[in-house]
Amino acid sequence: MAHGTVMNLKPIDFRHSRILITNDDGIHAPGIRVLEKIAHTLSDDVWVVAPEIEQSGASHSLTVRIPLRIRKLSSRRYAVNGTPTDSVLLGMLQILKRRPPDIVLSGVNGGSNLAEDVGHSGTVAGAMEGLMLGARAIALSQIISEKGPINWKAALAYGPRVVRKLIEAPWASGVFVNVNFPNLAPEKVKGVIVTCQGRRQLQERITEAFDPFGRPYYWIGAPRQDVPSKSKEPTDTYATTMGYVSVTPMHLDHSHKGMMRTLRTAFPSK
Ligand code: MN
């Protein structure tokens, strides 16, 4: 497939569209209910297939060595004992195989998916898998403060109009969209801007501690401190720290065209 050049002009009439929702925080996480509310503003044909337990940081992992189970919780609502990728695969190729969804929405994640987070994110991977299987796919994340309850109001206020505009817009092939809502009351949000992926200084930290038997264990993670990263284009971290909703179109194709040209000098073809 030629990525990035061909615009997908096929209009999607969202009122008759089938929407599949997944996440990486697990089917019982509050953010998935927020996304269901957003999806129901577009269509009545909304299905949920999501991991039984939290899969944050699972990235695009696929379970191939152990069997997967689908557990029906209620009408149009299923849990899978696997990753977000497994959930989208089973949702599209098994549960909804007779009529696959037109749109895959992943989230709303409780926490940002900005800059390098994209590489670790199960939320983003859920959208990528939806795209790979032929749907329009959007990952959605609500930025949170480390302390206190999650405030979903920016996602609830801006989610419906952002998703609707994205669905109505022409898309390049091989592209999904990563949306982050700032941690602000809706009336404080400055608007929506289109961004590129930002960069952070490496923020992961390892905490060493000891279990009750004196053996060391390690915990990866550090509180996020976003500083707006510099670029010619506004970045996702810049947009959200300045109080905007960030909308980043992202490419499935990770290859770098400029470096390909440089490397061809080192590896000339005969
Ligand atoms: Mn998560």
Side-chain angles (χ1 to χ4, degrees):
M1 182 170 38
H3 288 299
T5 48
V6 183
M7 298 300 275
N8 174 4
L9 291 163
K10 195 184 98 185
I12 291 189
D13 183 354
F14 56 82
R15 284 161 302 180
H16 303 293
S17 63
R18 172 164 282 187
I19 301 177
L20 173 65
I21 287 175
T22 195
N23 74 349
D24 78 354
D25 291 341
I27 194 141
H28 303 296
I32 206 161
R33 294 288 185 186
V34 173
L35 190 48
E36 286 176 73
K37 279 190 191 155
I38 292 169
H40 276 291
T41 65
L42 302 166
S43 170
D44 295 326
D45 194 8
V46 176
W47 297 70
V48 176
V49 184
E52 286 271 10
I53 54 168
E54 185 174 351
Q55 298 288 319
S56 293
S59 186
H60 207 165
S61 58
L62 180 64
T63 303
V64 290
R65 297 287 181 233
I66 58 166
L68 293 169
R69 306 276 180 187
I70 297 170
R71 190 164 69 92
K72 185 170 182 178
L73 300 178
S74 59
S75 170
R76 301 184 180 185
R77 194 173 183 83
Y78 301 83
V80 169
N81 62 332
T83 65
T85 302
D86 298 331
S87 301
V88 172
L89 267 165
L90 288 174
M92 292 182 76
L93 302 183
Q94 182 61 36
I95 298 166
L96 300 176
K97 63 184 169 192
R98 287 208 191 93
R99 195 202 144 186
D102 310 289
I103 300 163
V104 170
L105 303 177
S106 184
V108 176
N109 190 60
S112 64
N113 276 307
L114 303 165
E116 290 87 348
D117 294 340
V118 167
H120 294 128
S121 171
T123 307
V124 169
M128 284 170 70
E129 192 63 24
L131 164 67
M132 287 165 68
L133 295 173
R136 277 210 182 182
I138 305 169
L140 303 100
S141 304
Q142 172 64 61
I143 299 174
I144 60 174
S145 70
E146 304 290 338
K147 299 179 192 97
I150 302 177
N151 183 347
W152 301 99
K153 287 190 180 138
L156 280 165
Y158 278 84
R161 62 186 105 159
V162 168
V163 172
R164 185 173 169 164
K165 279 198 177 185
L166 285 173
I167 296 308
E168 289 176 327
W171 285 31
S173 67
V175 169
F176 65 98
V177 177
N178 186 32
V179 177
N180 281 269
F181 302 100
N183 184 24
L184 290 172
E187 59 275 15
K188 298 261 174 72
V189 176
K190 287 187 186 153
V192 182
I193 53 177
V194 176
T195 58
C196 63
Q197 186 181 359
R199 286 187 74 179
R200 288 195 188 104
Q201 302 294 329
L202 183 67
Q203 290 193 330
E204 300 307 347
R205 243 183 274 149
I206 293 171
T207 303
E208 186 188 51
F210 296 88
D211 73 11
F213 311 100
R215 294 173 301 212
Y217 67 87
Y218 302 91
W219 204 318
I220 298 169
R224 292 278 184 255
Q225 282 203 322
D226 279 325
V227 282
S229 58
K230 289 194 182 112
S231 162
K232 272 187 245 161
E233 303 272 4
T235 60
D236 51 14
T237 50
Y238 171 83
T240 50
T241 44
M242 300 305 278
Y244 293 91
V245 177
S246 167
V247 171
T248 316
M250 309 208 81
H251 216 183
L252 216 48
D253 177 355
H254 289 204
S255 57
H256 191 278
K257 303 294 182 291
M259 186 76 175
M260 281 166 61
R261 284 191 290 276
T262 313
L263 283 178
R264 281 195 181 118
T265 324
F267 303 100
S269 57
K270 284 170 194 150

